[in-house]
């Protein structure tokens, strides 16, 4: 910087927001959040705006000089709220309904205040050690064995990517870490997942250089669960044709129907074939906290790795994905690279989480998990998840009892897949159109938000219950709205 460019502000006017201003604004924001959550059902769950509307409310260039924090906070209402889809809304039933919790929000706030980077133990011992301890608590809550070692990533997509990278690294004779995959004489690698596995598994195949041909989709049975005998056959056929099978991904709670792959049988096959077993329990795994639902993770104790997303159904704000493996040394071999500037005296005694993944920098995510686990307790979390499952089972019964609706998949968790099927309509295309229009009509009210899937070319509606604020009356109202809209459509 030359002399002419030097700061025109005296040092006392540099630095951060004055503490009294922060305190006042902070209290205002907490009050604002409190009112927002308390009165969440005064908002429409879906925004009514058109693409580009929010951009139009925003200046095209950054502010030249600083603005008042009160003006910035005021724009939450004026600029941001009109474009919000309210995931906290009790009538949010789309995708997998998730909700952060007040305790989780406070954990996020504390994490932002500390603003540490937990790449090394030394760069923040509390972050590393709290992550180890909270993940061990969660492991116990899920009933997983004590040789499962845990790490927090941002999303299940990234957790599964790391699982598959470790599975690939386990093929140590191929020296992929050292020499890469291209331009040399290697067998083609193949992994396996059900045709209902999440697209993040395909993305992992893309990212890891396996290509889409490197993932073989295994057919499912009438309950949308992977057929183990089809898996065995696919592996045998691949071996005969010179492929090198290396990994199977089983899903506990698939994205469309929440089906549960037969993990015990799949684990048996992986054991026999010497393949890495990764379990994607991003949504369904949380249900294992409920003692009578523990069975959903049967067989997962034999997995090499598993992902469960506390940001999906454990009331921890996005983002927090819990990844466990019993082979952390393989994961470390896949990713550890330590430049000189990141060496510390404690390296031999501690865990440096940067060694176990792509990203160096790591947020202090464990704080929000710690806040949530402590605030609700294991029983409090189990009671809330149990209630969601009960609500979904009730809705499933109403659908089963109605002549003009049918359930399209079993309901093992808290997500109900169904469609309208008026008695006089038999044509699949016509039924698809009716259900597509029904979904549009329900969502157009903006009072309820549901999503859809396709099962065997049939258009299927999904109601996912997982929100802390959802009660019996909300599910009942959604069901009434669905019935009313169908009657209107069929007039
Ligand atoms: C079964 C399953 N796995 C993985 C994911 C991806 O989750 P994330 O958004 O945390 O990457 C989803 C998302 O819904 C999912 O349903």
């Amino acid at each position: 910087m030359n002399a002419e460019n030097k700061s025109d502000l005296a040092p006392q006017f540099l630095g951060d927001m004055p503490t009294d201003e922060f305190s006042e604004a902070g209290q205002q924001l907490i009050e604002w959040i409190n009112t927002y959550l308390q009165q969440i059902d005064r908002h429409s769950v879906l925004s009514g705006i058109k693409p580009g509307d929010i951009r139009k409310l925003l200046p095209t260039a950054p502010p030249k000089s600083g603005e008042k924090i009160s003006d910035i906070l005021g724009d939450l209402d004026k600029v941001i709220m009109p474009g919000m889809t309210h995931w906290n809304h009790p009538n949010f039933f789309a995708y997998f309904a998730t909700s952060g919790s007040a305790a989780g929000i406070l954990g996020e706030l504390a994490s932002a205040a500390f603003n540490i980077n937990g790449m090394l133990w030394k760069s923040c011992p509390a972050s590393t050690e709290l992550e180890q301890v909270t993940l061990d608590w969660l492991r116990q809550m899920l009933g997983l064995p004590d040789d499962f070692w845990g790490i927090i990533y941002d999303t299940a997509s990234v957790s599964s990517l790391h699982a598959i990278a470790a599975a690939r690294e386990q093929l140590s004779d191929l020296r992929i870490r050292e020499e890469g995959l291209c331009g040399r004489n290697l067998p083609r690698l193949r992994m396996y997942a059900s045709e209902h596995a999440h697209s993040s598994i395909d993305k992992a195949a893309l990212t890891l250089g396996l290509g889409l041909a490197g993932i073989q989709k295994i057919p499912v049975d009438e309950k949308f669960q992977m057929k183990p005998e089809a898996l065995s056959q696919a592996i045998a056929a691949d071996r005969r044709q010179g492929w090198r099978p290396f990994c199977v991904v089983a899903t506990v709670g698939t994205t469309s129907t929440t089906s549960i792959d037969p993990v015990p049988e799949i684990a048996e096959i992986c054991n026999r074939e010497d393949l890495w077993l990764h379990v994607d329990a991003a949504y369904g795994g949380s249900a294992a906290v409920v003692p009578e639902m523990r069975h959903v993770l049967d067989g997962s104790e034999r997995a090499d790795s598993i992902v469960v997303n506390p940001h999906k159904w454990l009331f921890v704000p996005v983002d927090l994905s819990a990844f466990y493996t019993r082979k952390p040394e393989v994961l470390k071999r896949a990713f550890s690279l330590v430049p000189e500037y990141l060496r510390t005296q404690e390296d031999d005694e501690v865990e440096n989480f940067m060694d176990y993944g792509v990203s160096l920098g790591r947020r202090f995510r464990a704080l929000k998990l710690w806040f949530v686990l402590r605030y609700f307790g294991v029983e409090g979390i189990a009671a809330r998840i149990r209630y969601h499952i009960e609500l979904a089972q009730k809705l499933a019964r109403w659908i089963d009892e109605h002549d003009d609706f049918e359930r399209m998949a079993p309901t093992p968790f808290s997500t109900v897949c169904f469609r309208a099927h008026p008695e006089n309509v038999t044509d699949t295309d016509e039924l698809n159109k009716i259900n597509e229009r029904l979904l549009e009509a329900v969502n157009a009210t903006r009072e309820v938000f549901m999503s859809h899937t396709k099962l065997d070319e049939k258009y299927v509606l999904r109601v996912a219950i997982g929100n802390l604020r959802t009660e019996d009356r909300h599910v009942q109202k959604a069901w009434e709205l669905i019935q009313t809209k169908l009657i209107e459509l069929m007039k």
Side-chain angles (χ1 to χ4, degrees):
M1 188 189 285
N2 62 33
E4 287 86 287
N5 283 347
K6 76 178 188 293
S7 169
D8 52 2
L9 287 176
Q12 66 266 33
F13 298 117
L14 298 175
D16 203 356
M17 182 187 285
T19 50
D20 50 351
E21 194 182 340
F22 175 72
S23 173
E24 195 183 322
Q27 285 170 45
Q28 266 175 29
L29 181 59
I30 291 286
E31 265 322 301
W32 185 92
I33 295 171
N34 208 27
T35 309
Y36 164 66
L37 292 176
Q38 211 177 16
Q39 302 180 353
I40 185 76
D41 43 11
R42 294 196 187 165
H43 300 280
S44 298
V45 59
L46 278 169
S47 154
I49 64 153
K50 290 187 290 307
D53 280 357
I54 297 297
R55 290 190 65 153
K56 281 188 213 141
L57 298 176
L58 292 160
T60 51
K64 188 160 185 299
S65 48
E67 298 182 52
K68 286 203 215 109
I69 189 71
S70 54
D71 289 345
I72 302 171
L73 291 180
D75 279 350
L76 283 178
D77 281 317
K78 285 191 223 120
V79 181
I80 302 301
M81 284 297 259
M84 285 304 296
T85 299
H86 293 288
W87 286 68
N88 288 305
H89 201 293
N91 294 344
F92 186 107
F93 298 113
Y95 317 119
F96 282 130
T98 63
S99 49
S101 52
I105 295 168
L106 294 174
E108 276 284 22
L109 188 61
S111 163
F114 286 129
N115 193 34
I116 59 92
N117 186 335
M119 54 201 180
L120 303 165
W121 176 87
K122 183 150 205 130
S123 68
C124 186
S127 172
T128 300
E129 295 189 17
L130 189 68
E131 185 160 331
Q132 291 167 327
V133 170
T134 49
L135 285 185
D136 197 57
W137 288 1
L138 181 60
R139 177 195 63 73
Q140 295 171 46
M141 289 165 66
L142 299 170
L144 292 171
D146 61 10
D147 63 340
F148 272 53
W149 170 100
I151 184 167
I152 296 174
Y153 296 119
D154 54 358
T155 57
S157 305
V158 168
S159 291
S160 292
L161 172 74
H162 284 83
I164 297 162
R168 195 183 67 171
E169 180 59 27
Q170 193 170 242
L171 308 169
S172 51
D173 57 309
L174 301 185
R175 296 180 46 80
I176 292 170
R177 177 187 160 108
E178 293 77 15
E179 299 184 38
L181 278 171
C182 301
R184 60 200 184 100
N185 196 14
L186 285 182
R188 300 281 310 272
L189 303 183
R190 189 94 96 172
M191 59 193 257
Y192 307 83
S194 109
E195 51 186 326
H196 276 255
H198 188 259
S199 51
S200 55
I201 307 305
D202 304 61
K203 282 201 178 178
L206 291 178
T207 311
L208 293 168
L210 307 170
L212 290 177
I215 173 164
Q216 179 81 285
K217 293 294 174 66
I218 305 299
V220 295
D221 64 14
E222 68 294 343
K223 290 182 173 168
F224 308 101
Q225 300 169 332
M226 190 197 286
K227 288 183 181 166
E229 55 302 342
L231 173 65
S232 284
Q233 285 160 10
I235 295 167
D238 278 354
R239 288 205 196 279
R240 280 195 302 276
Q241 289 163 22
W243 290 84
R244 174 93 177 253
F246 76 104
C247 177
V248 178
V249 178
T251 312
V252 171
T254 55
T255 313
S256 272
T257 71
T258 73
S259 60
I260 304 170
D261 286 335
V263 182
E265 283 101 313
I266 295 171
E268 198 52 49
I269 295 169
C270 288
N271 186 40
R272 189 181 71 220
E273 300 282 348
D274 196 18
L275 306 179
W276 184 288
L277 171 59
H278 174 58
V279 176
D280 177 357
Y283 160 72
S286 299
V289 176
V290 181
E292 63 273 23
M293 292 294 290
R294 171 61 190 76
H295 63 90
V296 302
L297 288 185
D298 281 357
S300 294
E301 69 284 351
R302 297 179 65 189
D304 295 286
S305 58
I306 179 168
V307 54
V308 176
N309 266 9
H311 77 213
K312 278 200 178 6
W313 200 11
L314 223 62
F315 319 121
V316 175
V318 175
D319 52 2
L320 197 150
S321 179
F323 176 77
Y324 295 93
T325 176
R326 51 167 30 110
K327 294 179 179 160
E329 70 289 353
V330 183
L331 183 65
K332 187 171 180 178
R333 217 166 62 212
F335 288 106
S336 181
L337 266 183
V338 188
E340 183 53 39
Y341 85 103
L342 294 172
R343 293 195 189 282
T344 68
Q345 278 171 349
E346 296 82 8
D347 284 353
D348 294 337
E349 295 167 67
V350 297
E351 206 100 75
N352 291 322
F353 276 128
M354 69 161 192
D355 286 336
Y356 298 87
V358 173
S359 61
L360 170 68
R362 317 186 74 247
R363 303 177 55 218
F364 198 167
R365 292 193 182 87
L367 264 182
K368 58 185 169 181
L369 180 60
W370 191 48
F371 275 41
V372 171
L373 296 184
R374 290 182 66 187
Y375 182 75
F376 288 130
V378 180
E379 287 173 0
I381 289 175
R384 285 164 176 82
I385 292 177
R386 183 183 289 117
Y387 181 55
H388 293 157
I389 295 171
E390 281 167 12
L391 291 178
Q393 301 306 320
K394 198 185 257 191
L395 174 63
R397 277 197 302 279
W398 293 335
I399 291 166
D400 291 346
E401 286 161 9
H402 199 296
D403 289 340
D404 289 336
F405 287 88
E406 62 185 346
R407 208 135 54 86
M408 301 301 285
T411 307
F413 297 100
S414 66
T415 300
V416 189
C417 290
F418 65 103
R419 69 172 177 176
H421 191 164
E423 264 172 340
N424 52 344
V425 188
T426 49
D427 181 67
T428 302
D429 287 344
E430 200 180 336
L431 279 172
N432 285 354
K433 276 191 205 115
I434 291 171
N435 280 283
E436 208 172 330
R437 282 177 19 223
L438 178 57
L439 181 70
E440 274 166 25
V442 169
N443 287 346
T445 66
R446 295 167 46 214
E447 288 173 35
V448 162
F449 182 26
M450 313 186 316
S451 57
H452 80 283
T453 187
K454 266 205 172 161
L455 298 174
D456 302 325
E457 296 310 309
K458 294 173 191 142
Y459 195 93
V460 171
L461 310 180
R462 279 171 89 262
V463 167
I465 298 166
N467 197 290
L468 270 183
R469 291 168 189 84
T470 302
E471 295 172 19
D472 202 277
R473 63 194 166 99
H474 300 108
V475 179
Q476 202 155 344
K477 183 182 155 188
W479 175 227
E480 280 161 17
L481 186 65
I482 294 163
Q483 292 171 84
T484 309
K485 289 293 163 194
L486 180 66
I487 294 168
E488 284 173 19
L489 266 179
M490 299 309 290
K491 266 188 195 152

